[in-house]
Amino acid sequence: GNSVTQMQGQVTLSEEEFLFINCTYSTTGYPTLFWYVQYPGEGPQLLLKVTTANNKGSSRGFEATYDKGTTSFHLQKASVQESDSAVYYCVLGGFDLPGTGSNRLTFGKGTKFSLIP
Amino acid sequence: EAAVTQSPRSKVAVTGGKVTLSCHQTNNHDYMYWYRQDTGHGLRLIHYSYVADSTEKGDIPDGYKASRPSQENFSLILELASLSQTAVYFCASRDSNYAEQFFGPGTRLTVL
């Protein structure tokens, strides 16, 4: 089956430092890869989408890249701010759920990012 | 204006009791989903639906039922709540032409 491994449970940085979060995945076929962000008290929302065709995506100062050879994809931001404090999920998608063509999303466990106070 | 809303936002239930969580979307999306979120597990799919009056099992359906009486509404039903069902529950909707799912704000359920 499909799986996503997100090893970093928590990342803490100082303001303006470089953020890097890595995920690996296991699947057959050609997935679409997502990064979702969840702010306190809210549901997850889409941050970035990376398809295997373009290998890259960017939004709100974040950049995501994908490496098919190592089946990994990662999220980075050059200079973090307080407003970036959130939980970041790498998500594997693009697969049909049985019988319906509905899109299956497989979530990693999430990485909680916060600034050093 | 929020396009996916959930009610209640928080609930305390007793073991063995019946719990109904409700979701309403104004996105005009065909697909709707219920997930649960537990610390250390990310989100896991419980049930989903692609049309009114029809629901399908996700990855962890045991102990849950779902109901989709209209395109806009999708409910999650716990007939006999158990301690292990304490979690945060999220509803999501999706347009059939796109992969992105839009999530509601969640319902925190505590079973005592």
Side-chain angles (χ1 to χ4, degrees):
Chain A
N2 304 322
S3 67
V4 177
T5 302
Q6 192 173 354
M7 296 297 293
Q8 299 155 282
Q10 185 153 346
V11 173
T12 307
L13 296 170
S14 298
E15 195 168 17
E16 298 182 358
E17 284 195 300
F18 175 74
L19 173 65
F20 182 88
I21 302 172
N22 188 58
C23 276
T24 58
Y25 68 91
S26 174
T27 187
T28 56
Y30 300 93
T32 301
L33 307 167
F34 303 91
W35 285 97
Y36 274 75
V37 59
Q38 184 178 21
Y39 299 103
E42 299 182 10
Q45 58 182 269
L46 181 65
L47 177 60
L48 284 170
K49 182 175 79 172
V50 181
T51 66
T52 55
N54 61 21
N55 295 342
K56 227 175 236 202
S58 61
S59 174
R60 307 187 224 171
F62 289 87
E63 185 175 274
T65 56
Y66 148 78
D67 185 330
K68 184 181 178 183
T70 59
T71 62
S72 65
F73 60 120
H74 55 260
L75 180 71
Q76 62 186 50
K77 187 177 186 187
S79 176
V80 295
Q81 307 296 320
E82 175 67 37
S83 58
D84 297 323
S85 297
V87 178
Y88 294 85
Y89 291 98
C90 50
V91 181
L92 185 62
F95 299 97
D96 288 347
L97 286 158
T100 69
S102 181
N103 180 269
R104 174 187 293 279
L105 297 183
T106 302
F107 280 77
K109 294 183 178 181
T111 298
K112 183 177 181 180
F113 166 68
S114 57
L115 283 184
I116 295 172
Chain B
E1 182 179 340
V4 181
T5 56
Q6 295 182 232
S7 62
R9 291 296 311 277
S10 179
K11 183 169 180 66
V12 178
V14 295
T15 304
K18 182 177 180 178
V19 177
T20 300
L21 307 182
S22 299
C23 178
H24 178 80
Q25 57 108 352
T26 57
N27 293 325
N28 199 33
H29 289 167
D30 292 327
Y31 293 94
M32 295 187 75
Y33 306 82
W34 276 107
Y35 294 86
R36 66 175 281 172
Q37 182 180 49
D38 301 275
T39 304
H41 284 279
L43 277 74
R44 293 180 289 174
L45 181 64
I46 306 171
H47 284 287
Y48 62 98
S49 169
Y50 60 95
V51 68
D53 296 321
S54 178
T55 64
E56 305 290 336
K57 294 181 180 179
D59 296 324
I60 53 164
D62 293 345
Y64 302 95
K65 290 183 180 179
S67 173
R68 182 94 181 268
S70 64
Q71 186 192 42
E72 298 80 17
N73 296 294
F74 192 34
S75 297
L76 186 68
I77 303 152
L78 290 66
E79 294 278 4
L80 295 170
S82 66
L83 295 174
S84 64
Q85 294 176 312
T86 292
V88 181
Y89 292 84
F90 288 97
C91 175
S93 73
R94 181 179 77 90
D95 183 289
S96 57
N97 294 313
Y98 300 95
E100 180 180 0
Q101 294 185 17
F102 293 85
F103 287 81
T107 294
R108 182 173 296 276
L109 175 65
T110 303
V111 182
L112 302 176

